[in-house]
Amino acid sequence: MAKTKTAFFCSHCGAQSPKWIGKCPSCGEWNTYVEEVIQRQEKQNIPKRGATPTLITDIELSAENRIDTHNQELNRVLGGGLVPGSVVLVGGEPGIGKSTLMLQVALTIRNLKVLYVSGEESEQQIRMRAERLGMGKNECYILTETSTSDILAHISNLNPGIVIIDSIQTLSSENIDASAGSISQIRETASELQRFAKTVNVPVFLIGHITKEGTLAGPKLLEHMVDTVLQFEGDRNYGYRILRSVKNRFGSTSELGIYEMQSDGLREVSNPSEILITQHEEQISGSAIAATIEGLRPMLIETQALVSTAAYGTPQRSCTGFDTRRLNMLLAVLEKRSGFKLGIKDVFLNIAGGLRVDDPATDLAVVSAVLSSNVDMPISSKTCFAAEVGLSGEIRPVTRIEQRVSEAEKLGFEIIVISKLNWKAAKSASKNIKIEAVSRIEEVFSLLFA
Ligand code: TYD
Ligand code: MG
């Protein structure tokens, strides 16, 4: 019998080494090397694609042949539909709803044979879930199998138009002698599926788990191998789920898809502002609404701040859904430029709905929410904000102001506070909404609380 060959792999980046090392020379992480069996058999039955150099103008364009998944939010995140032959990795924490989302897609997609391969649940369990989601009228096949050679054999018999694998960590390939879920197995099974997708031009969804550190379990390498990486996230305490594209070879990565988890599956939220703005009966202090843009879509979201006297010497700053360093910077600007003594106060900031925002246009709403909580005076719920705040306390213009103004107007806001430098463009987009253009933070204060 041949001697078992082993090697060490970095569980962070997938680099290989013949012996154990403490620090990965490739990604610099410590203590990530694990031993794995790598005895490879000779590869058979994997179709090789004989590539020849082709003139770029001779290559057929297939960009417009995207598959409509009949799930508008998913289409949006994928950049306008599913590209044939692409491999899409859907990552997320356990229980967030990855299997639900994919099964729902499998049931609603039309005119395509779907093969849903599950290594985690039994056929009965999947059927029960499908009953809950509402059965579609299309051809959806379920296969409970974990060996890639068997899966590929079933695929070539069935000829599906789309394959869903739940999950990549449960698969194993006979070409490699390591346990399922290990780095070398993930790499091997993913590359077999990728080769399959590219050869027959069938899209493959791979579901992947996320480790407790928040990275996709298995090597980062998996992210490099696939065409698109989608992250499914959300707060357990809210029913909302956000599908975010982290990498996309066929579209933008700034798109968001928003869903609400209900008892009969995930509902698409096509008008996110409806859920991101909490409806108050009376006006409360510490809340301000920002007109942001995520991807191509304008959204009005609520920022909530609580400013209170610090109980200990060092004031606390805590954020949910917003960058803490950015909050600290904004507080320093308030302190330095406008004389608001926030240095002895605790500041808590929360973006409503469990969303995470990066749009710099949120700055002014954050600053206003903090000021409002500090003086304990509410801001009218018919006012929203769209501007960046600079280090010297100046109110800076933001991109695509016209879209923000029209979205705010559409949702019934009466006033939008923006930078003076955005005034002209904003004016052209507004009909009934009142535009307040400001150039310094002090002006905002007197505008809101004078
Ligand atoms: P699941 O798709 O199994 O998560 P994952 O595959 O990411 O581990 O989601 C399971 C959760 O979703 C579970 O906590 C129950 C909830 N759920 C609903 O609220 N409504 C539904 O219709 C379904 C199918 C699941
Ligand atoms: Mg699952």
Side-chain angles (χ1 to χ4, degrees), residues 94-160:
I96 204 79
K98 302 178 295 297
S99 307
T100 308
L101 175 69
M102 284 296 111
L103 187 61
Q104 217 164 325
V105 169
L107 293 173
T108 52
I109 212 162
R110 286 182 214 144
N111 308 326
L112 267 185
K113 220 190 264 182
V114 186
L115 179 65
Y116 186 100
V117 183
S118 179
E120 306 203 326
E121 285 155 307
S122 70
E123 288 170 359
Q124 280 77 20
Q125 282 172 313
I126 299 171
R127 172 74 208 243
M128 265 157 60
R129 188 191 295 242
E131 288 292 336
R132 237 175 120 172
L133 299 176
M135 296 284 265
K137 289 187 183 62
N138 65 337
E139 279 185 89
C140 174
Y141 293 86
I142 306 293
L143 173 68
T144 46
E145 180 59 71
T146 54
S147 144
T148 47
S149 57
D150 289 350
I151 293 172
L152 290 173
H154 284 299
I155 288 176
S156 70
N157 285 339
L158 189 67
N159 243 331

Side-chain angles (χ1 to χ4, degrees), residues 69-80:
T69 59
H70 284 274
N71 190 315
Q72 293 324 312
E73 300 296 298
L74 180 63
N75 281 349
R76 181 204 310 281
V77 178
L78 289 171

